[in-house]
C-alpha cells in the first residue's frame, strides 16, 4: 500500500477496519474517531506523541509528556526521537499511575495548559494492570492536558463482555494504542493507533505528486500518505479484518475470556502450592510468581535453565524490588494440565 492505484481493495478494507476499530474504542458519532494501522505498540506510541507535539505546537506550546513509572519504555524513547524533553515520571506505587501524584505533577509543572500529554497504561508490561482511567481522564480534563492510553496489551479486553468494564474511561482518551498481535492473535505486525478526533490526523498530511496528486485526491481517490509515516507498507488490515469477520466480537471475546480464566487458574495453582509465592491475582492474563524462599539470582537461573533445556519459556519481571517469573498466557489452546506441568517443571529446577 502506497497509493490507491497500487492497492485499491486494501485501501477500501483498511478504511472500513480503522473506522470500525476507532468506533469500538471511542464510541461517539460515526466518523468522529479514526485510526491508523501501525507496526505495533512502539510505532503507535511514537505517533501519539507526534500528534500531541503538533497539537501543542499549533497553540504555540512546547509539549511536556507525563508517564507513569509503570509505563512502557517505548514512550520515553519516542520522546527522545521526537526531540521532546524527557517525560516526567509520575509515581505508580501500587503498580498503577497514582491520580493524586498526577494531579500534583500537573499542578506544579511550569507551562500553559495545552502543553501537556499524559500517557496512561491499560495493561502494564510486567503485571497487566490497568491505570485508573476515569480518574486520569477527569484530571486531564481539569488541567487541559491531552490523554493518551497505551492499551497495547489491554485493548483486547474490549471484545469481552466479562472484562470490558476494566477499560472504563478508555473512550475518553484522545489517542489509544492497540496491539492486535497480543490479545488479538494476529501475526506481527498488527498495531493500531486510534484518535478521538479525526482532525488530529491532518498534521500527517503529505504530498508527493506521483502518489497522491491534489487533483486525484479532489477527484475522490483515497489518500494513503497521510495515514502513515511509512510510504510502502504491507496490507496488515487484511488479516485483522479476516479475523474480525471470521470470529466476530463474540468469538474474540471468548478467546479473551479463555486466557483470562487460564491465568486465574494458574494463579490459584501457584497460591495453593506451599513451594511458590504468587505476586497477585492476575489483572489480565499475566501471572507473576517465584519459588518460595528463592533469591533473585535463582529466579534468573530457573528461567535460563528451562529455556536452555528447551522445556518452557517463561518471562521475567522486576517488580516491588524483586525479580519474578512471568507467565503471560495468550494461547487459548493452553490446557489446565499444561499449567500443572509447567509448575512441576519449575519445581524440579533446583540450583546447581
Ligand atoms: C507490547 C507493548 C508495547 C510495544 O509494542 P510492540 O508491538 O512490541 O512495538 C508498548 N506498550 C505496551 C504496554 C506493550 O505491552
Amino acid at each position: 500500500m502506497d497509493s490507491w492505484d497500487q492497492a485499491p481493495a486494501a485501501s477500501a478494507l483498511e478504511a472500513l477496519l480503522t473506522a470500525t476499530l476507532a468506533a469500538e474504542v471511542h464510541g461517539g458519532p460515526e466518523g468522529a474517531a479514526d485510526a491508523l494501522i501501525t507496526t505495533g505498540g512502539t510505532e503507535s506510541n511514537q505517533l501519539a506523541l507526534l500528534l500531541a507535539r503538533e497539537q501543542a505546537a499549533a497553540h504555540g506550546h512546547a509539549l511536556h509528556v507525563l508517564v507513569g513509572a509503570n509505563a512502557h519504555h517505548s514512550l520515553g524513547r519516542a520522546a527522545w526521537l521526537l526531540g521532546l524533553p524527557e517525560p516526567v515520571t509520575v509515581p505508580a506505587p501500587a503498580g498503577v499511575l497514582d491520580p493524586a501524584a498526577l494531579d500534583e505533577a500537573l499542578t506544579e509543572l511550569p507551562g500553559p495548559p495545552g502543553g501537556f500529554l499524559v500517557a496512561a497504561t491499560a495493561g502494564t508490561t510486567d503485571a497487566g494492570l490497568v491505570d485508573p482511567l476515569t480518574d486520569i481522564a477527569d484530571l486531564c480534563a481539569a488541567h487541559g492536558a491531552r490523554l493518551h492510553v497505551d492499551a497495547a496489551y489491554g485493548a483486547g479486553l474490549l471484545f469481552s463482555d466479562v472484562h470490558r468494564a476494566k477499560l472504563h474511561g478508555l473512550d475518553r482518551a484522545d489517542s489509544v494504542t492497540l496491539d492486535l498481535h497480543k490479545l488479538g492473535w494476529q501475526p506481527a505486525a498488527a498495531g493500531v493507533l486510534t484518535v478521538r478526533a479525526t482532525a488530529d490526523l491532518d498534521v500527517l498530511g503529505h504530498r508527493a505528486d506521483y502518489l497522491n496528486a491534489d487533483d486525484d485526491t479532489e477527484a475522490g481517490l483515497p489518500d494513503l500518505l497521510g495515514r502513515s509515516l511509512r510510504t510502502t507498507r504491507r496490507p496488515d488490515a487484511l488479516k485483522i479484518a479476516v479475523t474480525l469477520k471470521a470470529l466476530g466480537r463474540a468469538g474474540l471475546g471468548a478467546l479473551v475470556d479463555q486466557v483470562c480464566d487460564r491465568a486465574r487458574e494458574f494463579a490459584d495453582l501457584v497460591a495453593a502450592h506451599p513451594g511458590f509465592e504468587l505476586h497477585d491475582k492476575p489483572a489480565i492474563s499475566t501471572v507473576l510468581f517465584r519459588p518460595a524462599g528463592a533469591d533473585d539470582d535463582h529466579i534468573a537461573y530457573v528461567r535460563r535453565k528451562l529455556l536452555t533445556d528447551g522445556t518452557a519459556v517463561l518471562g521475567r519481571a522486576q517488580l516491588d524490588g524483586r525479580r519474578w517469573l512471568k507467565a503471560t498466557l495468550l494461547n487459548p489452546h493452553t490446557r489446565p494440565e499444561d499449567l500443572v506441568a509447567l509448575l512441576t517443571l519449575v519445581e524440579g529446577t533446583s540450583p546447581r
Side-chain angles (χ1 to χ4, degrees):
M1 304 178 74
D2 67 348
S3 60
W4 185 79
D5 56 350
Q6 298 296 307
S11 307
L13 189 67
E14 184 180 275
L16 280 171
L17 178 77
T18 50
T20 302
L21 289 174
E24 182 70 23
V25 173
H26 298 279
E30 182 99 8
D34 206 341
L36 301 176
I37 303 295
T38 70
T39 50
T42 300
E43 187 188 342
S44 294
N45 285 341
Q46 257 170 34
L47 268 170
L49 264 61
L50 174 65
L51 297 180
R53 186 189 76 181
E54 293 307 294
Q55 191 195 48
H59 293 95
H61 306 317
L63 183 72
H64 291 274
V65 180
L66 297 94
V67 300
N70 58 353
H72 193 260
H73 66 85
S74 59
L75 287 158
R77 210 176 196 198
W80 164 76
L81 181 68
L82 293 167
L84 300 170
E86 198 173 317
V88 172
T89 301
V90 180
V96 292
L97 198 153
D98 176 26
L102 177 62
D103 193 16
E104 201 173 312
L106 283 168
T107 307
E108 283 175 5
L109 259 182
F116 302 139
L117 171 74
V118 174
T121 309
T124 58
T125 306
D126 285 341
L129 296 169
V130 179
D131 283 342
L133 301 179
T134 303
D135 292 347
I136 293 170
D138 286 345
L139 284 169
C140 287
H143 288 276
R146 192 177 157 94
L147 174 60
H148 172 67
V149 178
D150 178 359
Y153 175 25
L157 299 181
L158 283 173
F159 301 125
S160 159
D161 291 340
V162 179
H163 297 286
R164 189 183 168 94
K166 290 178 181 165
L167 298 180
H168 190 68
L170 183 69
D171 57 325
R172 293 175 60 193
D174 295 289
S175 58
V176 177
T177 288
L178 283 70
D179 222 347
L180 294 171
H181 53 243
K182 292 176 180 168
L183 284 177
W185 296 283
Q186 301 301 304
V192 179
L193 178 75
T194 67
V195 290
R196 192 149 53 99
T198 190
D200 269 11
L201 302 179
D202 290 351
V203 296
L204 299 177
H206 189 65
R207 286 281 160 217
D209 198 65
Y210 79 108
L211 294 174
N212 63 348
D214 284 343
D215 53 300
D216 275 351
T217 303
E218 276 154 28
L221 296 192
D223 168 7
L224 300 190
L225 273 194
R227 304 201 57 88
S228 178
L229 290 179
R230 292 173 280 162
T231 304
T232 304
R233 51 196 175 89
R234 290 166 56 92
D236 288 316
L238 175 62
K239 65 198 176 194
I240 303 172
V242 168
T243 300
L244 294 179
K245 191 76 183 163
L247 297 183
R249 165 200 290 284
L252 276 168
L255 297 182
V256 170
D257 293 351
Q258 218 159 305
V259 294
C260 291
D261 286 351
R262 279 300 99 77
R264 215 186 41 238
E265 288 161 18
F266 186 55
D268 288 348
L269 212 60
V270 169
H273 194 303
F276 287 101
E277 184 182 345
L278 175 70
H279 178 262
D280 210 342
K281 286 201 180 78
I284 302 178
S285 67
T286 298
V287 181
L288 299 177
F289 66 107
R290 40 188 288 150
D295 62 14
D296 282 356
D297 285 346
H298 180 64
I299 304 293
Y301 166 76
V302 168
R303 197 187 87 90
R304 264 192 310 273
K305 173 91 174 106
L306 296 175
L307 199 59
T308 51
D309 285 355
T311 49
V313 184
L314 283 168
R316 61 189 265 178
Q318 197 73 28
L319 212 62
D320 302 339
R322 289 197 296 166
R323 190 173 290 158
W324 299 85
L325 293 168
K326 176 165 92 162
T328 305
L329 296 164
L330 285 174
N331 184 348
H333 298 299
T334 303
R335 299 159 306 172
E337 54 265 40
D338 296 325
L339 300 173
V340 174
L342 173 63
L343 212 53
T344 306
L345 276 175
V346 178
E347 202 181 358
T349 314
S350 42
R352 285 143 298 139

